[in-house]
Amino acid sequence: MTKFSIAPIMFGGLVLLSACSSDPRVMPNDHMQELATSFSQRDIHGPLPSGWRQLDGTEINYRFANETYGVYSVTTDQQLLVMHLEDNSTGSLVGMDKPRQCQWTSIADRLTLDCEKFEKSWRIYTNGPDLVAADLEEETYAIMKKRNTY
């Protein structure tokens, strides 16, 4: 009679179950969660933290054209939407009630999205590798993380 242990089967099942039930919208790492915590307590009209600066229109074009980003709320630690922006000033947003086609611009110091029934204008801040978007109308911040796929 062959003797086998049920423990490896149960462990494998638990790992599979936890992978299936984890929410992919939650910020993917501790570093991003630390950024979110830091910016959620920061006055949107106050000075930037040491080492941070605002991107201008040229830098916004360079970083965002032909790229896909997850946009994460600093107050809920969850991904609000995924945006993919093309170099021809078109793009799309996913994560709302339905995917939306957009036009985008980077005039002076802002990234502006004009989508069907959705408009957003952000100032983009960076410390080098990290990107934070400030919505001055709603007085909120979001963390932006480049994604490899759409």
Side-chain angles (χ1 to χ4, degrees), residues 51-149:
W52 286 80
R53 65 182 180 82
Q54 184 174 338
L55 296 182
D56 65 20
T58 302
E59 292 174 297
I60 291 170
N61 276 338
Y62 176 77
R63 288 217 185 194
F64 288 91
N66 294 316
E67 298 293 349
T68 301
Y69 281 86
V71 181
Y72 296 83
S73 166
V74 299
T75 55
T76 63
D77 289 347
Q78 290 197 345
Q79 183 172 286
L80 299 175
L81 49 92
V82 175
M83 66 178 189
H84 178 76
L85 305 178
E86 299 289 339
D87 64 358
N88 64 0
S89 298
T90 64
S92 58
L93 293 177
V94 176
M96 303 170 66
D97 54 347
K98 65 177 185 170
R100 298 174 190 265
Q101 297 303 309
C102 305
Q103 297 291 315
W104 71 278
T105 57
S106 60
I107 299 172
D109 64 351
R110 295 181 195 223
L111 171 62
T112 302
L113 300 174
D114 185 7
C115 313
E116 55 186 83
K117 298 181 183 177
F118 179 84
E119 291 181 25
K120 188 62 74 177
S121 183
W122 287 305
R123 285 192 174 153
I124 309 295
Y125 305 117
T126 187
N127 64 355
D130 301 312
L131 293 172
V132 173
D135 182 336
L136 299 179
E137 280 187 28
E138 294 182 16
E139 295 193 351
T140 59
Y141 288 104
I143 308 294
M144 298 180 140
K145 173 126 174 101
K146 189 183 288 191
R147 294 172 50 124
N148 294 329
T149 60

Side-chain angles (χ1 to χ4, degrees), residues 38-39 42 47-53:
S38 171
F39 275 89
R42 180 165 300 285
L48 291 172
S50 178
W52 286 80
R53 65 182 180 82

